[in-house]
Amino acid sequence: MWPLLRLRNVRHNYNGRTVLDIAELSVSAGTITGLAGPNGSGKSTLLKILSLAARCTSGTVYLRNRPVLPFDPEAHRRISLLPQEAYLLRRTVFDNISYGLKIRGQKNQFRDSVAAALELVGLDPSFAGRFWNQLSGGEAQRVALAARLALKPDCLLLDEPTASVDMESARCIRRAILLARREWGTTLIIASHNQSWLDDLCDTIIYLYNGRILECSLENVLLGPWLQNNRREFYKELADGQFIHVPPPPHPDSSAVIASAVLKLSGAPSGSSRTLTGTVSGIFFDKHFTEPRIHIVCGDHRFVACVPDMNLNGGDLLPGRTVTLSYQPEDISWLEK
Amino acid sequence: MWPLLRLRNVRHNYNGRTVLDIAELSVSAGTITGLAGPNGSGKSTLLKILSLAARCTSGTVYLRNRPVLPFDPEAHRRISLLPQEAYLLRRTVFDNISYGLKIRGQKNQFRDSVAAALELVGLDPSFAGRFWNQLSGGEAQRVALAARLALKPDCLLLDEPTASVDMESARCIRRAILLARREWGTTLIIASHNQSWLDDLCDTIIYLYNGRILECSLENVLLGPWLQNNRREFYKELADGQFIHVPPPPHPDSSAVIASAVLKLSGAPSGSSRTLTGTVSGIFFDKHFTEPRIHIVCGDHRFVACVPDMNLNGGDLLPGRTVTLSYQPEDISWLEK
Amino acid sequence: AQQKPLMMATTTSTDNTGLLEYLAPLVKQATGIDLKWVATGTGQALKLGENCDADVLMVHAPAAEKAFVEAGFGLNRREFMYNDFIIIGPEGDPAAIKGKDTCTAFKAILDSKAVFVSRGDDSGTHKMELALWKQCAEAVPDKESWYRQAGQEMLATINIAGEQNGYTLTDRGTYITYEANLGGNPPLKILVEGDRKLLNQYSVIEVNPERCPKAQQELARKLGDWLVGKEGQDAVAAFELMNKQLFFPNAAKN
Amino acid sequence: MDFILEGIAKAFVLLLQGDPETYSAVWATVQAASMSMTASLLVGIPLGYLLGYLNFPGKKGVRTVVDTLLSLPTVFIGLIVYAFISNRGPLGEFGLLFTLTGIAIGQTILALPVVIALTATAVESLDRSLRPTLISLGATRMQIFLTSVREARLGILIAAITASARVLTEVGISMMVGGNIKWHTRTITTAIALETNKGEFATGIALGLVLLAIAFVISFSLSFLRRRA
Amino acid sequence: MDFILEGIAKAFVLLLQGDPETYSAVWATVQAASMSMTASLLVGIPLGYLLGYLNFPGKKGVRTVVDTLLSLPTVFIGLIVYAFISNRGPLGEFGLLFTLTGIAIGQTILALPVVIALTATAVESLDRSLRPTLISLGATRMQIFLTSVREARLGILIAAITASARVLTEVGISMMVGGNIKWHTRTITTAIALETNKGEFATGIALGLVLLAIAFVISFSLSFLRRRA
Ligand SMILES: Nc1ncnc2c1ncn2[C@@H]1O[C@H](COP(=O)(O)OP(=O)(O)OP(=O)(O)O)[C@@H](O)[C@H]1O
Ligand SMILES: Nc1ncnc2c1ncn2[C@@H]1O[C@H](COP(=O)(O)OP(=O)(O)OP(=O)(O)O)[C@@H](O)[C@H]1O
Ligand SMILES: [Mg+2]
Ligand SMILES: [Mg+2]
């Protein structure tokens, strides 16, 4: 079976500046894919291209191996996007949610669909009669999502669906997403900065950085600039006065990425390894990893490390305890600029 | 010393519907106050009224015990608000950030202020030349914040400053907020759904629910409807089939709130207490509590409980472990509708 | 100090034919009067006089002029020139009026129901036409479908008649212009002319300074004097359009 | 001054006593304006939408041309249309001269730049996230057009009102192309011009008020489209 | 048809050979239009802003009235202004009749509803979060006005262009109040009317093109304000 969506050699420019450059990306039908990355890394641009809402400067989008363009008669109505800044039509909530059904030629009987969509996003049915400008920020965001859910699309792309949404509603949206996949077989691609929400929901997560897909995750990213000491070692000083040492960076401003597996909890430095001391701020369970993960704050910076079960002795790792991390500078990799 | 800002008997209506009703609220100078609450609870409305950007339907806003109205000549330029949906002027980022300085009659020399403000929100100085519509969602949000920071206001109100902002930048904004208080003595009031970010930053947190200030925190809120069994006990079924029992609700649709201290980790039920079984998903350290806090997932729902240090035996509470919570239904309280 | 210009309200025919532009420098030279004029319909010209917005009037609607003077708005009405009206129509002449006298022609048009285009704007020409209908056919055929009331300037009216193959009554000056505009071979030809009834009398009237204190009666009198005097009369006689004399001085009969 | 009061009184008389000449002119005005407004809205709104919506090289030039055409003098349009539909013109055989249809052709030329320029501006002022939102909901190009027009309804409404005001008040075209023929092509504005020329200022005022009454009926009925924008 | 081509040729002759009568009319047109546009923009933009910005009871009624006033016929305005500034009118002593200032007064009345209605619509179409944002940045009421106008510049620009087109092309006021006096108050449009009356259609066309040239200069110079909206 072909992947539902596939990008090849896609590149997108704004005013001549390349903001997206993806050689190859496939999304299989029925999966939930997360999209993570810092501001400006190209998540929204990628979602617009994948949803055929915009055309990439160069490259091809395939839908089940067929190249497709915006307004493709077949694909157009099966893929839906919740843009980051969704526009609400200057009408009632009811009209907003039923709009997509109406333009699909569906006749009347929107009432049930609209009520069902509102319930999915955790809004009271009485909201249907409200006007677009009588909503709070989070309510508007949820109405926009409801308008997409009402369409029961084959493929749904969500750009920051939980921005300015309360925690209870974020859980509600999570349930709606899982329901969409289960009941309608919807394939989902979701960009979000709510890392734990995303981790919890998605089958796979794609990390974007400067318009490129990263091979690793973006757990511990340290921005430049990097200094050099008189032994020609590169380092950066953290806010609490500790130093972190790195291999020679490609550029003094490059960003270093330290995979959580690189940071060991064995306190004593051995050979060429270096150490960092910090305070545990939390321990998590993340379904993408077999081991629990621990957050350690060093000065201003929060590091994520893996906790092999054998390392757990008593309550040593509970929040508030001080621990020592060790790492090999050579294991630190660099992000392309 | 009078509180910097004080509200008395403030009530706000939209189309005759009361969305805010606050008898008394004071904010002391130099503090950082958080504002939490579900969508539509009135946070944005409250911030607009506090910042004198809107006038309340009835009631009084005091600035250092002097009643003030919008456009108050003295207060107007000392209080600044970052609205939830900040509007960027159809100009460059530079012009947007320097706008507030310009209308204050400041002459030239914006260059340094703009560069400093951009740095505070973690944006490269090269952004100054971009046009308003050449920004990603999170970049736009940070530019809007920079425009307020550039004013060095006495009082700064932020409505969802971290919505659609990446984690690194959220930390950056946190540093900027702390710097504003330290260097300029700015008083801050911040509405956010990013509970952990808010917990970490604020001196006090105010919880809003349906336009009213809550006495408790909003940690574990369970929405209705509530059912009654043949023993006339009220309960709700969780997604995993467990039941949670509550005292008689004021209304079958009322929301119950269970303070984290009510949920005990002592596994065995005693007397009239009830139990819930769940999986630990994380442990945190929260500066507002002396003890670490634990997140436990039961079915669809995540509960927060306190962990008295004495309860910590070995790695029992590490993420992934199964634990039992017990509670007295009478300790559960109700939110006013 | 420079003298204030003399404001004249006049009809479009004197302006459109170029007569005033020809006379103005001569007036200036002879009397020192700086002549300014507003060219409108006769009715509006009389109204401007009535409202004291002009010092002197040059119009061609004798009955209305007399009423104007009798109402005390104007003084010293002096006739000083005329031109003549003609009946023009399509070369085919469906009502067969060519060479007939005016009344016969009007009756023939009425009987044959051939298209007749009326100015319909209360101008001097229109008033003349209405008088002729009453005189020759008892009533104005106001609502007849062949009787088209244009409500426009003379030239536009002729154009309408031309487009609709109709007859119309026009002053000779405008017809000469029309003829020239169409390169000397217009679809409408002169069919009736030279009848005594078809005289188009122009006069000059001074605005009454008793009603209008600012009216410059002295200058107005001076202009009138010049127009009826030999110099003015000769100048009128010498004015030609397309090498044809348009206006005929007749101040002598005053 | 008196003629203003007199004119106001006369306006009531004309309207209430049903003066046939006035009603004939009202009817001619309404007929010509309906034809020209229908044509100019049908053509102008899509063109204005495209001009505001698309980005193409030379767009700025096209806008400048449209803006310039806002200043087409009515007599000039009248002359051009006359040249085409006069008996000696290329379209002479259709017999459009001195008809309301002829007037409507000229008025369409007059109204088109207004509709196009104001529609383009209204569409340009739409929120830039409208288009991706509509696409993401599955709207076709035609549906995007229709919905954008509806979202820009305030701006397009005022475009229509401004254009119809321009058409209702123009004299030059009606005079030149229509000929101001009583009972046929005499519109209110040509009647006003005629009465004023005749020195019947009060009647001119009265007819002006009649025109304003028509305009009021139009803007009043359209104002309901303006609710809740 | 021929007179159109002839007119186009003649337009070049008039403009390039510097025909003094044409230049006098151009100058009169420009003077009157500058005065009236200055006045109507200075008064109309603030009023339009308030109308679009404020919410007050009866606002809808005011908008309907303004929309209706878009249909003020020029001859009607001419008559009203004439009534006031005629020698027997209340303002007769100022000697405004048959002057460019008099024309400009009438043209201001003509342009005001256009500026007000279109500015109000442009302001109403502004993003609703502009106002709280400006207040939150410390803008005074005056600064909010100025910034809102700048943010709505596309709409207000087209309001100015539409109004100036209306003013440039009007005949009724210039004719009635100005009197079409050669070398003094003869504007291009009254000159076109005169030439057309005289049957000089080619000259009419030529003068119409001259007017369009002025309009082009105006919209071309204003089009630079349109960059980057
Ligand atoms: N219309 C535009 N014109 C020019 N540059 C743009 C435009 N839109 C976005 N950009 C730039 O393109 C890059 C990618 O933007 P994009 O919106 O895809 O980022 P993102 O990953 O969605 O960020 P965020 O998390 O802030 O939403 C950014 O550097 C941004 O500044
Ligand atoms: N302009 C308006 N007209 C009518 N009702 C409004 C308007 N703005 C907000 N509301 C309603 O007022 C209530 C409070 O809104 P507010 O924006 O203050 O909520 P909020 O706490 O900021 O929510 P969010 O977390 O979604 O931003 C909500 O019920 C909302 O629906
Ligand atoms: Mg984005
Ligand atoms: Mg809010």
Side-chain angles (χ1 to χ4, degrees):
Chain A
M1 185 93 171
W2 296 109
L4 182 74
L5 281 170
R6 177 159 170 247
L7 297 189
R8 263 186 70 98
N9 297 324
V10 162
R11 185 187 272 272
H12 196 72
N13 297 346
Y14 288 119
N15 311 111
R17 206 164 48 85
T18 300
V19 299
L20 198 69
D21 185 359
I22 292 179
E24 175 76 42
L25 173 68
S26 300
V27 177
S28 312
T31 57
I32 302 181
T33 308
L35 208 53
N39 290 142
S41 56
K43 302 182 295 299
S44 300
T45 309
L46 176 57
L47 286 181
K48 273 185 222 153
I49 289 170
L50 276 172
S51 63
L52 305 179
R55 195 172 165 171
C56 44
T57 313
S58 68
T60 321
V61 182
Y62 297 89
L63 179 77
R64 295 206 187 284
N65 214 39
R66 188 171 61 81
V68 281
L69 291 174
F71 296 106
D72 180 276
E74 199 193 324
H76 187 48
R77 297 229 148 141
R78 296 169 56 199
I79 305 178
S80 189
L81 165 73
L82 173 70
Q84 189 163 12
E85 289 146 27
Y87 178 94
L88 289 186
L89 300 170
R90 275 45 176 152
R91 313 181 187 178
T92 60
V93 167
F94 183 91
D95 288 342
N96 266 285
I97 299 180
S98 59
Y99 178 83
L101 301 172
K102 218 177 265 168
I103 61 173
R104 277 166 177 71
Q106 200 165 309
K107 287 276 179 308
N108 306 315
Q109 301 315 319
F110 302 138
R111 200 159 297 276
D112 296 345
S113 312
V114 170
L118 278 174
E119 196 185 335
L120 280 179
V121 298
L123 286 175
D124 194 84
S126 70
F127 272 91
R130 293 257 193 115
F131 271 83
W132 67 279
N133 56 359
Q134 299 177 340
L135 301 170
S136 80
E139 287 162 357
Q141 177 74 4
R142 282 148 68 189
V143 167
L145 176 59
R148 274 72 189 176
L149 290 173
L151 305 177
K152 305 188 178 172
D154 286 359
C155 183
L156 181 57
L157 297 91
L158 305 176
D159 202 348
E160 298 283 351
T162 61
S164 66
V165 157
D166 64 41
M167 281 181 301
E168 179 63 41
S169 308
R171 277 195 286 277
C172 192
I173 292 174
R174 174 175 182 275
R175 281 195 295 271
I177 289 170
L178 293 172
L179 176 134
R181 167 165 64 174
R182 197 175 56 236
E183 306 269 309
W184 317 325
T186 304
T187 307
L188 289 120
I189 309 176
I190 305 164
S192 175
H193 291 294
N194 194 339
Q195 189 72 45
S196 60
W197 184 84
L198 206 60
D199 282 343
D200 195 30
L201 179 62
C202 300
D203 303 324
T204 43
I205 295 189
I206 296 169
Y207 293 91
L208 273 184
Y209 191 82
N210 268 332
R212 285 159 204 264
I213 293 179
L214 288 189
E215 294 311 313
C216 56
S217 85
L218 272 174
E219 297 164 311
N220 300 311
V221 175
L222 284 171
L223 306 178
W226 302 96
L227 306 173
Q228 227 178 336
N229 63 17
N230 43 21
R231 268 170 293 157
R232 305 199 152 266
E233 293 164 344
F234 286 87
Y235 72 96
K236 173 176 173 154
E237 188 174 351
L238 298 179
D240 63 351
Q242 296 189 76
F243 295 99
I244 185 153
H245 292 267
V246 293
H251 185 271
D253 273 336
S254 293
S255 300
V257 56
I258 313 174
S260 56
V262 168
L263 291 173
K264 302 259 156 50
L265 272 165
S266 52
S270 69
S272 60
S273 74
R274 304 278 189 168
T275 59
L276 278 173
T277 306
T279 310
V280 176
S281 70
I283 314 181
F284 298 85
F285 194 70
D286 179 332
K287 68 171 183 185
H288 297 281
F289 295 84
T290 47
E291 303 128 357
R293 291 148 74 64
I294 183 164
H295 282 191
I296 294 149
V297 174
C298 306
D300 237 7
H301 215 88
R302 190 170 68 174
F303 291 95
V304 183
C306 284
V307 189
D309 249 347
M310 53 163 191
N311 259 334
L312 298 172
N313 28 23
D316 278 1
L317 294 183
L318 285 175
R321 307 289 156 92
T322 300
V323 293
T324 304
L325 292 168
S326 69
Y327 62 96
Q328 300 283 348
E330 311 86 75
D331 293 342
I332 294 176
S333 52
W334 295 101
L335 289 177
E336 291 181 65
K337 239 304 178 273
Chain B
M1 186 87 173
W2 295 111
L4 182 74
L5 280 170
R6 177 160 169 248
L7 296 189
R8 261 185 70 95
N9 297 324
V10 162
R11 185 188 273 270
H12 196 72
N13 298 346
Y14 288 119
N15 310 111
R17 207 164 48 87
T18 301
V19 299
L20 199 69
D21 184 359
I22 292 180
E24 174 79 41
L25 173 68
S26 301
V27 177
S28 313
T31 56
I32 302 181
T33 307
L35 207 53
N39 291 141
S41 57
K43 302 181 297 296
S44 300
T45 309
L46 176 57
L47 285 181
K48 273 185 221 154
I49 289 170
L50 277 171
S51 63
L52 304 179
R55 195 173 165 174
C56 43
T57 312
S58 68
T60 321
V61 182
Y62 297 90
L63 180 78
R64 296 208 186 283
N65 215 40
R66 189 171 60 81
V68 283
L69 291 175
F71 295 107
D72 180 274
E74 198 193 323
H76 187 49
R77 296 226 150 141
R78 297 169 56 200
I79 305 178
S80 189
L81 165 73
L82 173 70
Q84 188 163 12
E85 287 146 27
Y87 178 93
L88 289 185
L89 299 171
R90 275 46 176 150
R91 312 180 188 178
T92 60
V93 167
F94 183 92
D95 288 343
N96 266 286
I97 299 180
S98 60
Y99 177 82
L101 301 171
K102 218 176 264 168
I103 60 172
R104 277 167 178 70
Q106 200 165 307
K107 288 276 179 310
N108 305 317
Q109 301 316 317
F110 302 137
R111 201 159 297 276
D112 297 344
S113 311
V114 171
L118 278 174
E119 197 185 335
L120 279 179
V121 298
L123 287 175
D124 195 83
S126 68
F127 272 92
R130 292 258 193 116
F131 271 83
W132 67 280
N133 56 0
Q134 300 177 339
L135 300 170
S136 79
E139 287 161 357
Q141 176 74 4
R142 282 146 71 188
V143 167
L145 176 59
R148 275 71 190 177
L149 291 173
L151 304 176
K152 304 188 179 169
D154 287 0
C155 183
L156 181 57
L157 297 92
L158 306 176
D159 202 348
E160 298 283 350
T162 60
S164 66
V165 157
D166 63 41
M167 281 182 299
E168 178 65 41
S169 308
R171 278 195 285 277
C172 191
I173 292 174
R174 175 175 183 274
R175 281 195 294 273
I177 288 169
L178 293 171
L179 175 134
R181 167 164 65 174
R182 194 174 61 237
E183 306 269 309
W184 318 325
T186 303
T187 307
L188 288 121
I189 309 176
I190 305 164
S192 175
H193 290 295
N194 194 338
Q195 189 71 43
S196 59
W197 185 84
L198 206 61
D199 284 343
D200 196 31
L201 179 63
C202 299
D203 303 324
T204 44
I205 295 188
I206 296 169
Y207 293 91
L208 272 184
Y209 191 82
N210 267 331
R212 285 160 204 261
I213 294 179
L214 288 188
E215 294 311 314
C216 56
S217 85
L218 272 173
E219 297 163 311
N220 301 311
V221 175
L222 284 171
L223 305 177
W226 302 96
L227 305 174
Q228 224 177 337
N229 63 17
N230 43 21
R231 269 170 294 155
R232 303 198 151 269
E233 292 164 344
F234 286 87
Y235 70 95
K236 174 178 174 154
E237 187 174 352
L238 299 179
D240 62 350
Q242 295 190 79
F243 295 100
I244 185 154
H245 292 266
V246 292
H251 184 272
D253 273 337
S254 295
S255 300
V257 54
I258 312 174
S260 56
V262 167
L263 291 172
K264 302 259 157 52
L265 271 164
S266 52
S270 70
S272 61
S273 74
R274 304 276 190 168
T275 58
L276 277 173
T277 306
T279 310
V280 176
S281 71
I283 312 180
F284 297 87
F285 195 71
D286 178 333
K287 67 174 182 179
H288 296 280
F289 295 84
T290 47
E291 303 128 355
R293 291 147 75 62
I294 183 164
H295 283 191
I296 294 149
V297 174
C298 306
D300 237 6
H301 216 87
R302 192 168 68 176
F303 291 94
V304 182
C306 284
V307 188
D309 250 348
M310 53 160 189
N311 260 335
L312 297 172
N313 29 20
D316 279 1
L317 295 182
L318 285 174
R321 306 290 155 94
T322 301
V323 293
T324 303
L325 292 167
S326 70
Y327 62 97
Q328 301 284 348
E330 310 87 76
D331 294 342
I332 294 176
S333 51
W334 296 100
L335 291 175
E336 293 180 65
K337 236 313 186 258
Chain C
Q2 227 209 325
Q3 199 178 29
K4 266 186 71 184
L6 180 69
M7 179 60 68
M8 177 160 84
T10 181
T11 60
T12 42
S13 54
T14 53
D15 192 24
N16 287 357
T17 52
L19 174 69
L20 288 175
E21 260 190 77
Y22 159 80
L23 289 179
L26 301 177
V27 170
K28 172 93 183 164
Q29 199 178 20
T31 63
I33 291 173
D34 201 358
L35 189 63
K36 261 169 115 180
W37 65 90
V38 176
T40 68
T42 304
Q44 192 180 342
L46 291 171
K47 259 301 192 280
L48 286 174
E50 189 183 323
N51 285 335
C52 310
D53 295 319
D55 303 311
V56 64
L57 308 179
M58 184 188 286
V59 284
H60 60 118
E65 290 162 26
K66 282 171 193 156
F68 182 82
V69 173
E70 260 158 41
F73 300 143
L75 293 174
N76 205 13
R77 169 174 178 270
R78 284 183 278 178
E79 301 186 338
F80 73 101
M81 66 175 191
Y82 72 91
N83 67 355
D84 63 337
F85 289 115
I86 51 181
I87 301 176
I88 58 173
E91 210 161 7
D93 192 12
I97 63 167
K98 190 169 169 74
K100 304 258 172 67
D101 74 49
T102 313
C103 265
T104 319
F106 266 65
K107 272 198 222 106
I109 292 169
L110 180 80
D111 292 341
S112 68
K113 296 193 188 308
V115 172
F116 183 93
V117 183
S118 161
R119 289 269 307 253
D121 64 348
D122 249 10
S123 59
T125 313
H126 185 217
K127 285 179 174 148
M128 167 68 80
E129 177 216 314
L130 293 181
L132 288 173
W133 280 116
K134 281 192 195 123
Q135 201 179 330
C136 308
E138 262 103 67
V140 181
D142 185 34
K143 287 216 159 181
E144 299 293 339
S145 69
W146 53 267
Y147 183 75
R148 312 262 159 90
Q149 301 178 56
Q152 293 210 64
E153 307 291 354
M154 193 67 250
L155 192 75
T157 307
I158 298 177
N159 269 321
I160 293 174
E163 294 282 352
Q164 304 199 333
N165 275 320
Y167 296 92
T168 192
L169 180 76
T170 174
D171 63 284
R172 192 180 292 273
T174 311
Y175 181 74
I176 293 172
T177 314
Y178 168 73
E179 203 177 16
N181 281 343
L182 289 171
N185 181 27
L188 300 184
K189 305 288 187 206
I190 300 177
L191 298 174
V192 176
E193 62 183 327
D195 193 326
R196 282 289 304 163
K197 285 203 183 85
L198 296 181
L199 215 73
N200 184 18
Q201 182 62 53
Y202 284 80
S203 23
V204 56
I205 307 174
E206 296 151 25
V207 170
N208 186 352
E210 274 166 39
R211 280 190 77 254
C212 305
K214 282 203 220 158
Q216 310 183 72
Q217 196 210 355
E218 231 170 274
L219 290 184
R221 174 70 52 88
K222 231 184 192 175
L223 176 71
D225 288 347
W226 183 83
L227 281 173
V228 301
K230 173 156 189 345
E231 230 183 299
Q233 294 282 297
D234 287 350
V236 167
F239 176 67
E240 284 186 342
L241 186 65
M242 312 294 159
N243 300 320
K244 285 176 189 156
Q245 181 175 350
L246 266 187
F247 295 100
F248 302 88
N250 67 341
K253 75 174 200 178
N254 282 336
Chain D
M1 284 301 285
D2 322 335
F3 65 78
I4 297 186
L5 295 175
E6 204 183 312
I8 295 173
K10 192 154 185 178
F12 285 98
V13 175
L14 290 181
L15 280 178
L16 299 182
Q17 298 204 337
D19 174 61
E21 291 191 21
T22 308
Y23 274 89
S24 157
V26 167
W27 182 226
T29 303
V30 169
Q31 273 183 293
S34 309
M35 284 190 269
S36 54
M37 284 312 297
T38 307
S40 58
L41 291 177
L42 283 181
V43 177
I45 291 180
L47 288 181
Y49 168 79
L50 290 177
L51 188 55
Y53 196 71
L54 298 180
N55 280 315
F56 51 89
K59 171 171 172 159
K60 218 167 187 169
V62 176
R63 293 238 34 182
T64 307
V65 169
V66 173
D67 287 354
T68 304
L69 293 182
L70 287 172
S71 295
L72 276 176
T74 53
V75 185
F76 181 87
I77 298 176
L79 280 173
I80 304 273
V81 174
Y82 173 81
F84 277 85
I85 67 176
S86 105
N87 281 329
R88 296 154 67 96
L91 307 177
E93 63 203 285
F94 298 107
L96 294 169
L97 194 62
F98 308 134
T99 62
L100 293 175
T101 315
I103 297 180
I105 292 172
Q107 289 180 340
T108 305
I109 299 174
L110 178 68
L112 258 181
V114 178
V115 176
I116 294 177
L118 293 184
T119 300
T121 305
V123 169
E124 263 175 355
S125 308
L126 280 174
D127 196 298
R128 70 192 172 118
S129 51
L130 174 63
R131 187 186 141 91
T133 298
L134 294 183
I135 297 179
S136 75
L137 286 166
T140 60
R141 287 190 176 88
M142 188 62 177
Q143 287 165 339
I144 293 177
F145 162 63
L146 293 174
T147 308
S148 298
V149 166
R150 184 160 162 194
E151 292 298 296
R153 60 182 173 274
L154 276 187
I156 292 179
L157 189 68
I158 201 74
I161 292 178
T162 308
S164 70
R166 190 79 194 83
V167 160
L168 283 178
T169 58
E170 71 80 23
V171 196
I173 296 167
S174 302
M175 205 54 121
M176 188 75 213
V177 178
N180 189 23
I181 298 171
K182 194 165 165 184
W183 307 118
H184 294 273
T185 57
R186 179 161 302 167
T187 62
I188 302 183
T189 51
T190 58
I192 297 175
L194 173 63
E195 294 300 332
T196 310
N197 237 335
K198 281 161 55 173
E200 299 283 351
F201 294 169
T203 314
I205 294 280
L207 289 170
L209 291 173
V210 169
L211 190 68
L212 283 180
I214 299 177
F216 177 78
V217 170
I218 294 174
S219 31
F220 185 74
S221 25
L222 291 180
S223 75
F224 289 100
L225 290 177
R226 196 174 266 152
R227 86 209 133 89
R228 293 250 184 219
Chain E
M1 282 303 285
D2 321 336
F3 65 78
I4 297 184
L5 295 174
E6 205 183 309
I8 295 173
K10 192 155 185 177
F12 284 99
V13 175
L14 290 181
L15 280 177
L16 300 181
Q17 298 205 337
D19 174 60
E21 290 190 24
T22 307
Y23 275 89
S24 157
V26 167
W27 183 225
T29 302
V30 170
Q31 273 182 293
S34 312
M35 284 191 268
S36 55
M37 284 312 296
T38 307
S40 58
L41 291 178
L42 282 181
V43 177
I45 291 179
L47 287 181
Y49 168 79
L50 290 177
L51 189 56
Y53 196 70
L54 298 180
N55 280 317
F56 52 89
K59 171 170 172 162
K60 216 166 189 172
V62 175
R63 293 237 39 179
T64 306
V65 169
V66 172
D67 288 353
T68 303
L69 293 182
L70 287 172
S71 294
L72 276 176
T74 53
V75 185
F76 181 86
I77 298 176
L79 280 172
I80 304 275
V81 173
Y82 170 77
F84 279 86
I85 67 176
S86 139
N87 275 322
R88 290 171 65 87
L91 308 177
E93 62 203 287
F94 298 107
L96 294 169
L97 192 63
F98 306 135
T99 63
L100 292 176
T101 315
I103 296 179
I105 292 173
Q107 289 180 340
T108 305
I109 298 174
L110 179 68
L112 258 181
V114 178
V115 175
I116 293 177
L118 294 184
T119 302
T121 304
V123 169
E124 264 175 354
S125 308
L126 280 174
D127 196 300
R128 71 194 171 118
S129 51
L130 173 63
R131 186 187 143 90
T133 298
L134 294 182
I135 296 180
S136 75
L137 286 167
T140 60
R141 287 191 177 87
M142 187 63 179
Q143 286 164 339
I144 294 177
F145 163 62
L146 293 174
T147 308
S148 299
V149 166
R150 184 160 162 194
E151 292 297 297
R153 61 182 172 275
L154 276 187
I156 293 179
L157 189 67
I158 201 74
I161 292 178
T162 308
S164 70
R166 192 77 194 82
V167 159
L168 283 178
T169 56
E170 71 80 24
V171 197
I173 298 167
S174 302
M175 203 55 120
M176 186 76 212
V177 178
N180 189 23
I181 299 171
K182 196 167 167 184
W183 306 120
H184 294 272
T185 56
R186 177 162 301 167
T187 62
I188 302 183
T189 51
T190 58
I192 296 176
L194 176 65
E195 294 299 336
T196 311
N197 272 339
K198 288 182 2 191
E200 299 284 349
F201 293 169
T203 314
I205 293 280
L207 290 170
L209 292 172
V210 169
L211 191 69
L212 283 179
I214 299 178
F216 178 78
V217 170
I218 294 174
S219 34
F220 186 73
S221 24
L222 290 181
S223 75
F224 290 101
L225 290 177
R226 195 174 267 152
R227 84 207 135 91
R228 293 252 183 218

